[in-house]
């Protein structure tokens, strides 16, 4: 929006991201998005260790199936995709590299035969979009990589199933109306 992130009005919106206790209050998605935000422009904070603290928090929350979720014991495609996005810049660390490889395997395994994903019991466009972002962030082509092509349907094909041509928009669920998400 053309604002300096450390001076939005009288507010420094980067500084609250300096505390793992602060960003982890809402669970795993807090450290994921804090790490993504901090890495966007390589922001400096008052806590030089915050990035590693976020990485460690995310790694600690990885599930036995290789994925991540807000709760439960099975990976969710949205949270797994977001965790992979956040960890992408840290693959020079062996533990992160191994976690990312397990996460990719889990994400591939969750994919449906039509190439899409269901999150919280609903096949939806946003889960496809998150997985596409994760793949491209990791240098994986979501349209051709065999891990993300099921029964001849790629992840990109699955997202396009939600496209409403006459409205130039996407629906949240197949057959639904256009959705701003």
């Amino acid at each position: 929006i053309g604002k300096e992130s450390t001076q939005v009005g009288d507010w420094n919106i980067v500084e609250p991201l300096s505390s793992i206790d602060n960003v982890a209050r809402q669970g795993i998605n807090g450290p994921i998005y804090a790490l993504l935000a901090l890495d966007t422009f390589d922001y400096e904070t008052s806590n030089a260790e915050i990035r590693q603290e976020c990485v460690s928090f995310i790694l600690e929350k990885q599930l036995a199936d290789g994925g991540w979720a807000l709760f439960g014991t099975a990976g969710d495609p949205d949270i797994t995709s977001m965790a992979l996005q956040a960890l992408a810049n840290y693959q020079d660390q062996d533990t992160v590299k191994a976690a990312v490889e397990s996460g990719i395997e889990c994400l591939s395994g969750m994919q449906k035969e039509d190439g899409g994903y269901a999150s919280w019991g609903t096949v939806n466009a946003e889960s496809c979009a998150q997985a596409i972002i994760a793949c491209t962030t990791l240098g994986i082509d979501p349209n051709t990589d065999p891990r993300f092509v099921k029964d001849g349907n790629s992840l990109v094909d699955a997202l396009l199933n939600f496209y409403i041509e006459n409205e130039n928009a996407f629906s949240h669920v197949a057959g639904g109306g256009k959705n701003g998400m």
Side-chain angles (χ1 to χ4, degrees):
I1 63 173
K3 299 286 184 185
E4 170 58 45
S5 299
T6 59
Q7 298 172 342
V8 179
D10 293 331
W11 187 258
N12 177 343
I13 63 172
V14 176
E15 190 53 34
L17 304 180
S18 296
S19 165
I20 192 67
D21 292 334
N22 188 43
V23 298
R25 283 187 319 198
Q26 62 177 325
I28 189 169
N29 56 333
I32 287 171
Y33 276 105
L35 197 55
L36 287 168
L38 290 170
D39 287 349
T40 300
F41 288 108
D42 199 25
Y43 289 109
E44 291 184 28
T45 70
S46 60
N47 177 0
E49 301 299 317
I50 189 60
R51 285 176 173 79
Q52 192 58 49
E53 291 172 5
C54 287
V55 167
S56 296
F57 188 96
I58 296 166
L59 293 178
E60 289 169 9
K61 300 297 182 186
Q62 190 169 26
L63 301 169
D65 67 1
W68 288 266
L70 290 176
F71 52 83
T73 58
D76 170 78
D78 293 2
I79 300 298
T80 298
S81 294
M82 292 183 286
L84 290 170
Q85 293 164 40
L87 294 173
N89 290 335
Y90 300 89
Q91 293 184 82
D92 58 329
Q93 299 175 33
D94 291 340
T95 54
V96 173
K97 181 81 171 156
V100 166
E101 289 172 8
S102 293
I104 292 168
E105 186 177 317
C106 179
L107 191 61
S108 173
M110 285 188 265
Q111 195 175 15
K112 305 292 183 196
E113 289 182 9
D114 68 356
Y117 290 92
S119 183
W120 298 58
T122 302
V123 175
N124 65 84
E126 294 83 1
S127 295
C128 293
Q130 285 291 357
I132 287 171
I133 295 168
C135 286
T136 56
T137 301
L138 295 166
I140 298 168
D141 186 331
N143 197 39
T144 61
D145 189 292
R147 293 172 291 185
F148 294 96
V149 177
K150 305 293 190 270
D151 267 359
N153 300 302
S154 75
L155 187 47
V156 174
D157 294 330
L159 179 60
L160 292 175
N161 286 332
F162 297 93
Y163 184 65
I164 307 168
E165 191 168 337
N166 64 340
E167 296 189 44
N168 293 321
F170 286 84
S171 62
H172 168 64
V173 295
K178 73 178 179 179
N179 184 292
M181 288 283 286

